[in-house]
Amino acid sequence: MDKKRICFIAQFPPPIHGLSKAVETAYNSKLKHEFLFEKVDISNNKKILKTLWSISRSNADLFYFTISQTKGGNLRDLFIFKLLQIQNKRCLIHLHGGYYRKLIENDMKNWQRKANYKAVSKLAGAIVLGKSLKPIFNGLLPDEKIHIVPNCIDNECLLSKEDFEKKLESSSKRRIKQVLYLSNFIHSKGYPEVLKMALFEKTRIASGQEKCLHFHFAGKFFEETEEKFFFNYIKENNLDELVTYHGVVIGLKKGELLKKCDIFTLPTRYPNEGQPISILEAMGNGLLVLTTDHAGIPDIVEDGVTGIIVKSDQDIQQKLEQILCVDTSLVVRRAFEMVNSKFNSRTYA
């Protein structure tokens, strides 16, 4: 029997981010032995005509399409949906985020909203990252067409069980805990709240207490205003001795940073958030995760079980103080075991 052909209409690295990395993992997975894969890279929206031409020339049996969560990107998506519909081609979309429904219902004009409703209703199905994100497509697709495929992390980003045990032991003895923020520098991702944690630690030290925390930041600045805010905050509050910025880290450099840190924090309220791979990477490297119950995060972080959930700035400070006073090794262990069993790319490799 001839193999079925699947065309990926998606963003591929570079640049490397959660979506492009997940797409690359799927494209290079063991499914490649069962199907014939081809791809149309939509990373550059200026090449829309080339994109449409490539899609029209494909004779794939199924088109796997990672849709946008912006108004401009959605216009591109509508052109792609229309082309696939005209050519009577089957399409399965994958939403790597949690904002699509709010986007079409709150941010779009009536014609664009209706065009999305119509396009989605004709799909072969939709994939979301977790159970809490399924309602995004409620009423647009029947439940049996809404599928859950969680994110995963690459094997090279995961500690071995032996190394995990060694880290757990050394971390329990470490007097100064290393706190990590590893994500893009966007205000709603929560990095200003992490800076406030550093300021709180400075205030605590100034009151005569010993230093307990050092803060590491890594990631990309997309806006100059974000970069200025970050470095000005550090300078104005004299946080240089408490904060280290590592720039953009990938590969071995990222692995080393994950290995040296004890606590991972991502107090995100980012509207487009889905299920952050950075949280899974932290869990897979024996870090205690401090985050919010936002978007698809509740599917991977249960408060007091696989991580710590925070609600506000004040709550973050209180939880940090508690973490320093209690044994959190069981929480870290549960998270590590969960990632190994459910979110490891060996499942797809």
Side-chain angles (χ1 to χ4, degrees), residues 29-309:
S29 71
K30 61 186 178 183
L31 291 174
K32 215 164 190 178
H33 303 301
E34 301 177 36
F35 302 94
L36 295 174
F37 284 173
E38 58 185 62
K39 64 181 179 181
V40 176
D41 191 343
I42 55 173
S43 299
N44 188 346
N45 284 336
K46 294 180 180 180
K47 296 182 179 180
I48 180 63
L49 293 179
K50 182 180 178 181
T51 295
L52 295 173
W53 173 252
S54 299
I55 294 171
S56 69
R57 298 286 293 174
S58 173
N59 62 350
D61 300 285
L62 177 69
F63 289 80
Y64 166 85
F65 181 19
T66 58
I67 61 172
S68 173
Q69 293 189 107
T70 67
K71 286 176 69 176
N74 181 256
L75 288 174
R76 174 208 65 195
D77 293 353
L78 288 176
F79 279 112
I80 293 173
F81 281 139
K82 190 64 178 178
L83 175 60
L84 293 172
Q85 180 189 341
I86 289 172
Q87 297 188 335
N88 198 30
K89 293 176 176 178
R90 297 181 73 242
C91 178
L92 173 70
I93 62 171
H94 198 162
L95 178 64
H96 281 263
Y99 191 63
Y100 175 71
R101 188 64 173 263
K102 291 179 181 177
L103 174 73
I104 61 175
E105 293 189 349
N106 300 332
D107 300 346
M108 290 183 177
K109 293 182 178 179
N110 192 47
W111 72 266
Q112 192 171 354
R113 185 182 311 114
K114 288 184 176 179
N116 274 274
Y117 290 156
K118 184 177 180 180
V120 171
S121 70
K122 297 180 182 298
L123 294 172
I127 299 172
V128 294
L129 297 171
K131 183 179 179 181
S132 61
L133 298 174
K134 283 190 72 174
I136 291 172
F137 291 103
N138 283 354
L140 302 180
L141 283 170
D143 188 69
E144 63 270 17
K145 287 190 175 183
I146 308 173
H147 311 284
I148 298 174
V149 178
N151 264 330
C152 68
I153 64 172
D154 289 339
N155 295 337
E156 70 239 29
C157 298
L158 183 66
L159 282 183
S160 68
K161 291 187 178 181
E162 182 182 354
D163 287 339
F164 169 77
E165 295 296 340
K166 290 178 181 178
K167 177 170 183 178
L168 202 60
E169 182 180 359
S170 64
S171 182
S172 65
K173 298 176 181 177
R174 192 172 293 139
R175 185 175 62 83
I176 300 176
K177 302 293 185 184
Q178 307 297 309
V179 183
L180 175 62
Y181 173 91
L182 175 60
S183 188
N184 291 325
F185 281 79
I186 300 170
H187 253 66
S188 57
K189 284 275 190 179
Y191 78 86
E193 282 68 36
V194 185
L195 286 171
K196 290 177 185 176
M197 293 184 210
L199 181 58
F200 174 74
E201 174 69 355
K202 180 192 173 187
T203 303
R204 201 182 58 75
I205 296 169
S207 70
Q209 299 183 60
E210 288 189 359
K211 179 180 178 180
C212 293
L213 300 169
H214 188 88
F215 295 82
H216 300 267
F217 291 81
K220 183 176 181 179
F221 292 98
F222 288 94
E223 302 289 341
E224 187 178 343
T225 53
E226 302 277 14
E227 188 170 4
K228 284 184 177 179
F229 174 87
F230 177 76
F231 288 107
N232 284 343
Y233 192 99
I234 294 171
K235 182 178 180 180
E236 290 168 4
N237 292 285
N238 297 312
L239 296 176
D240 296 272
E241 293 185 3
L242 290 169
V243 171
T244 303
Y245 174 62
H246 297 269
V248 177
V249 294
I250 58 174
L252 291 175
K253 191 175 180 182
K254 181 172 75 171
E256 289 302 314
L257 186 57
L258 285 164
K259 287 177 184 177
K260 76 181 288 184
C261 291
D262 308 286
I263 301 169
F264 175 86
T265 182
L266 185 71
T268 178
R269 291 293 175 190
Y270 181 52
N272 291 3
E273 200 73 81
Q275 187 185 79
I277 290 178
S278 59
I279 289 180
L280 296 173
E281 289 177 336
M283 289 176 166
N285 280 273
L287 283 79
L288 177 67
V289 170
L290 191 72
T291 187
T292 52
D293 58 352
H294 178 58
I297 293 174
D299 295 318
I300 55 177
V301 181
E302 184 179 350
D303 190 32
V305 179
T306 54
I308 306 297
I309 296 294

Side-chain angles (χ1 to χ4, degrees), residues 330-341:
L330 183 57
V331 175
V332 174
R333 185 179 297 280
R334 288 197 199 102
F336 179 77
E337 291 173 350
M338 180 189 69
V339 167
N340 265 278
S341 62

